[in-house]
Amino acid sequence: MNRGHFPFVNSSSSSESSDEFDEWLEYENEAVEIEEQIAINMIARNNYVIHQLLLIQQSDQEAEMAESPVHVNLVPIEATSESFADYGQVIEASSDGDLFGPNDAQLDLSRGTPRFYIMRLEGRSFGFSTITHHANVTQCLGSVGGHVWYLGVAKPSLIEDVGGERGTRVVESGSDGHLYAPPTVEEVRVFRFSGPKFVKLNRGTWHDGPFFSDSSMDFYNLELSNTNEMDHTRHSFKKKNGVIFRFEDSTSS
């Protein structure tokens, strides 16, 4: 492009000079726009290449961690209203006629159709490497018959103030587009439940289980009709952190 050429300088009349100047100015503006677009395209391409290289590097790191995970042993904590407060509620029997109060399950079933059913589980050994949360419901679980069972948990990490301060946290997108911070290895706990009680998980509480020593066990489960299909965000500690959690059955202790 001959960007330094001024075709209107030698024109014979001011009118012609003005027209030629307008043509030249239009030409110059188009040339600048083309050069800017070329620069933008080059930056975008470079960013894309860098992003792809980072994804490859992350994938290689995750594959390496998954091949040789570290086993982390957890000590089960007896679930009580106090010990489980960061994750939800432990609901125990109350007298007939008691009015609704803070010791009752504080439910949020407003985002869909509630589903209450009995869930039969089989062969749940004492270990896990993935953990799940539900962003749209306060799930409730309890053993039919009040048997001993265990649940792995981590605190909720939903980011519901989209415009708020996130600091240095890693932010990911969940199954329905909601935002959350991935759980950390240090946050994971295992709780032991026994007797006639059930657990209400707060919205977003990470959990895996139930686990138990019997060959099978029935649980009543309160969630939404589409929780398992539409509201099931999972984090793999084995893939992302190179960790598998283990714990021992403390039933006989």
Side-chain angles (χ1 to χ4, degrees):
M1 295 181 184
N2 187 6
R3 296 284 303 283
H5 178 58
F6 295 83
F8 63 89
V9 173
N10 295 320
S11 299
S12 58
S13 69
S14 60
S15 176
E16 291 178 353
S17 296
S18 177
D19 292 342
E20 291 181 357
F21 174 75
D22 290 341
E23 292 178 3
W24 172 83
L25 186 60
E26 182 179 357
Y27 167 81
E28 286 292 291
N29 289 336
E30 290 177 353
V32 169
E33 290 177 0
I34 292 173
E35 291 178 354
E36 289 178 346
Q37 189 60 52
I38 291 173
I40 290 172
N41 290 343
M42 290 180 63
I43 293 172
R45 180 176 177 81
N46 288 339
N47 288 341
Y48 174 78
V49 171
I50 292 172
H51 177 68
Q52 293 300 311
L53 290 174
L54 290 175
L55 288 178
I56 293 173
Q57 182 182 23
Q58 180 182 2
S59 178
D60 291 342
Q61 291 174 345
E62 290 177 353
E64 183 178 350
M65 287 189 294
E67 287 179 0
S68 55
V70 175
H71 290 251
V72 174
N73 293 318
L74 300 174
V75 177
I77 303 167
E78 190 66 28
T80 65
S81 297
E82 293 75 19
S83 65
F84 201 76
D86 288 335
Y87 315 96
Q89 294 176 273
V90 176
I91 308 299
E92 301 190 57
S94 58
S95 299
D96 183 30
D98 284 357
L99 299 179
F100 178 79
N103 292 328
D104 293 298
Q106 308 298 307
L107 303 176
D108 184 354
L109 303 171
S110 62
R111 306 184 187 200
T113 302
R115 180 190 182 197
F116 183 59
Y117 63 105
I118 294 177
M119 174 178 66
R120 175 161 296 171
L121 299 177
E122 298 179 355
R124 305 304 300 265
S125 59
F126 298 127
F128 59 97
S129 62
T130 60
I131 201 165
T132 298
H133 77 231
H134 309 307
N136 295 321
V137 66
T138 52
Q139 184 181 17
C140 293
L141 291 167
S143 166
V144 176
H147 303 291
V148 174
W149 58 283
Y150 300 85
L151 191 69
V153 296
K155 295 178 183 179
S157 56
L158 300 176
I159 299 174
E160 302 192 277
D161 182 6
V162 177
E165 179 63 38
R166 300 179 188 175
T168 59
R169 291 184 298 176
V170 175
V171 176
E172 296 187 7
S173 179
S175 58
D176 62 350
H178 67 273
L179 301 179
Y180 68 92
T184 65
V185 173
E186 294 76 18
E187 293 178 309
V188 177
R189 302 287 186 271
V190 169
F191 282 87
R192 178 182 184 270
F193 297 85
S194 61
K197 64 181 67 171
F198 71 90
V199 60
K200 184 219 78 177
L201 300 174
N202 291 336
R203 282 196 312 109
T205 291
W206 294 96
H207 59 281
D208 196 44
F211 305 100
F212 44 84
S213 59
D214 295 344
S215 59
S216 66
M217 192 174 291
D218 292 341
F219 291 84
Y220 49 86
N221 189 354
L222 175 61
E223 52 189 12
L224 297 182
S225 61
N226 64 351
T227 295
N228 288 328
E229 293 81 16
M230 304 297 295
D231 186 20
H232 201 88
T233 299
R234 179 170 293 182
H235 176 84
S236 172
F237 284 105
K238 183 178 180 181
K239 181 179 178 181
K240 299 288 188 179
N241 308 91
V243 165
I244 294 176
F245 296 99
R246 301 288 187 189
F247 61 95
E248 295 183 0
D249 181 17
S250 59
T251 302
S252 59
S253 61

